[in-house]
Amino acid sequence: SSGINAEYRAISINNTELINIVKDKFPRGGAMGLLDSHPELLDRYTTLANKFASIGYVAPMNVLWTYHFIHGNRDIASSIWQNHVKSSNQIMFQKVCQVARATGNIELAFGLVRHLAEADQVTSGARGIAYSCLLDCLCASNEHKKGYSALKEALNIKVALEDINRTALVRLKQGLEEEGSTFP
């Protein structure tokens, strides 16, 4: 929490040079871990993220979106997504994939795919990562036909096949074949 305190002080005093240093050193991954370990800091972090967003730095809002999205706070997550993250040139969502895979949360994986589909600047590679996560979750739940439908959907929206994780494709192929279906 001392890192958040330093960042909060930097934003509070409106020192441009100090703000830029803090932006460069902002612990995006660490911030997510901090919020998971110390949810009592959420209000302070939200204030900090809003201050950063007011000067055009959205990474802390991305962390906040990830936190609320994973924890099922749909309304808050949606507002942050629409107002800050959706149009960002770098959307961080690795933690969403980690949680979806670890918990087998198909809805979380589907939700990520849907969000990235409406984002302004997401690459085929990023969409491929999200679809790979979805395929992993579906295959883990033995929903291989739904996985195949998701793969076709990905290809239809111009996600390159090489952007889908090979391991996810192999698991999908094996699962379909074990069910008596063919994988093209």
Side-chain angles (χ1 to χ4, degrees), residues 3-4 6-11 15-27 48 52 57 60:
I4 284 183
E7 282 125 13
Y8 186 81
R9 283 192 302 273
I11 296 295
N15 179 325
T16 304
E17 184 177 334
L18 185 56
I19 289 170
N20 286 331
I21 290 169
V22 171
K23 281 170 51 176
D24 290 340
K25 296 181 185 250
F26 189 84
L48 175 69
F52 269 123
Y57 183 58

Side-chain angles (χ1 to χ4, degrees), residues 31-96:
M32 186 65 200
L34 183 70
L35 289 175
D36 281 339
S37 300
H38 299 281
E40 70 275 9
L41 295 175
L42 184 59
D43 288 342
R44 288 177 68 192
Y45 183 85
T46 300
T47 300
L48 175 69
N50 278 308
K51 287 184 181 257
F52 269 123
S54 73
I55 59 168
Y57 183 58
V58 298
M61 277 297 186
N62 196 145
V63 171
L64 201 55
W65 169 76
T66 300
Y67 178 85
H68 287 295
F69 189 70
I70 288 170
H71 288 89
N73 304 325
R74 301 283 182 242
D75 292 342
I76 297 169
S78 179
S79 175
I80 294 168
W81 175 262
Q82 291 299 326
N83 295 322
H84 301 285
V85 180
K86 178 181 171 179
S87 59
S88 174
N89 64 353
Q90 182 184 12
I91 299 175
M92 300 169 288
F93 57 89
Q94 178 182 356
K95 183 71 172 179
V96 176

Side-chain angles (χ1 to χ4, degrees), residues 122-163:
V122 176
T123 65
S124 171
R127 285 190 174 99
I129 291 168
Y131 271 100
S132 297
C133 172
L134 177 57
L135 292 179
D136 287 343
C137 291
L138 289 167
C139 289
S141 295
N142 291 316
E143 296 189 42
H144 301 99
K145 289 183 177 150
K146 287 183 182 177
Y148 182 61
S149 293
L151 175 61
K152 289 193 302 189
E153 174 186 300
L155 298 174
N156 285 338
I157 64 163
K158 307 296 184 228
V159 174
L161 187 59
E162 56 268 15
D163 289 330

